[in-house]
Amino acid sequence: MLRSLTRAPPSSSALFPRSIQTPTRFVKPSVACQYSTQTQQKRAASAHAISNPTLAGIEKRWEAMPPQEQADLWMALRDRMHVDWHELTLQEKKAAYWIAFGPHGPRSLPPPGEGWRIFNLTMLGVGVSFVFFLLIRTQARPAPGTMNKEYQEMTNEYLKAQNTEPISGVSSEGYKGKGQVQSGPKQKTKD
């Protein structure tokens, strides 16, 4: 089984094509220029702090911001976090922490009164269920003839005669349980 699994490549050359591994001096000038400007832009973006007005009150503004603006701000903070954390401003650290772990989106706090609303709806459901239970019970047939104390005592006698469950059941020595008896005496019917 283990021999059938593919192994990791012996070097990084299998992971990256040759064009990416080549130094910029061997690449076409247009590609080299594009590569160098991209890396310079990344370095420049992560080298400068994000302005304080952009980060001020982010906790209050975050939910109202358009998704594209949220993504841009998060990407800028992510790029800033690639540098040494001692170079980040206090505002950047607070904003990055709040965006990553703050109570917004799926972690937002429940609206006030939601607990009572859930309790009330649950009680309404229980009440409706109880009403349905009572309606069904009033329309049900009477209990079967086997659901009375006399019939269940006769069942105990039959089990003793058959020596059913001789170790711990009704027919065991010194048995003190009720056996099959679980109902009250038979109710008299009005004839």
Side-chain angles (χ1 to χ4, degrees):
M1 168 81 183
L2 291 176
R3 291 181 188 202
S4 65
L5 296 174
T6 58
R7 294 187 178 176
S11 67
S12 64
S13 63
L15 294 175
F16 300 108
R18 195 73 177 140
S19 62
I20 294 177
Q21 290 181 358
T22 56
T24 55
R25 65 175 182 252
F26 297 119
V27 181
K28 293 180 191 176
S30 63
V31 175
C33 179
Q34 188 180 24
Y35 173 74
S36 64
T37 56
Q38 286 175 353
T39 55
Q40 287 172 355
Q41 287 173 351
K42 268 191 179 176
R43 287 181 191 147
S46 62
H48 298 295
I50 300 171
S51 65
N52 279 341
T54 305
L55 299 176
I58 193 70
E59 299 89 3
K60 297 175 184 116
R61 295 183 301 121
W62 184 258
E63 291 289 331
M65 290 172 67
Q68 183 60 43
E69 194 175 335
Q70 288 179 351
D72 291 341
L73 181 59
W74 175 244
M75 293 300 157
L77 279 170
R78 191 191 65 185
D79 291 341
R80 280 290 293 152
M81 288 188 288
H82 285 296
V83 300
D84 186 12
W85 273 66
H86 296 291
E87 295 177 20
L88 292 175
T89 64
L90 184 62
Q91 286 283 358
E92 288 173 330
K93 290 177 186 177
K94 285 181 179 179
Y97 181 83
W98 193 86
I99 290 171
F101 303 108
H104 57 84
R107 292 182 302 271
S108 61
L109 299 173
E114 185 177 16
W116 282 109
R117 184 172 162 255
I118 291 172
F119 177 77
N120 290 336
L121 289 174
T122 303
M123 289 298 113
L124 177 70
V126 169
V128 168
S129 300
F130 185 70
V131 167
F132 276 129
F133 171 76
L134 289 178
L135 285 173
I136 292 170
R137 282 298 285 168
T138 58
Q139 303 300 318
R141 295 181 187 158
T146 58
M147 295 299 291
N148 59 59
K149 188 173 184 179
E150 292 79 18
Y151 187 89
Q152 292 164 359
E153 286 174 346
M154 290 189 317
T155 304
N156 281 345
E157 295 303 321
Y158 178 78
L159 291 175
K160 287 179 188 175
Q162 295 294 321
N163 199 21
T164 304
E165 290 190 60
I167 297 174
S168 63
V170 176
S171 57
S172 64
E173 289 182 29
Y175 181 75
K176 292 184 169 80
K178 294 194 307 185
Q180 301 297 315
V181 178
Q182 60 181 351
S183 302
K186 185 175 184 180
Q187 295 178 354
K188 308 262 190 225
T189 57
K190 295 178 183 177
D191 289 335

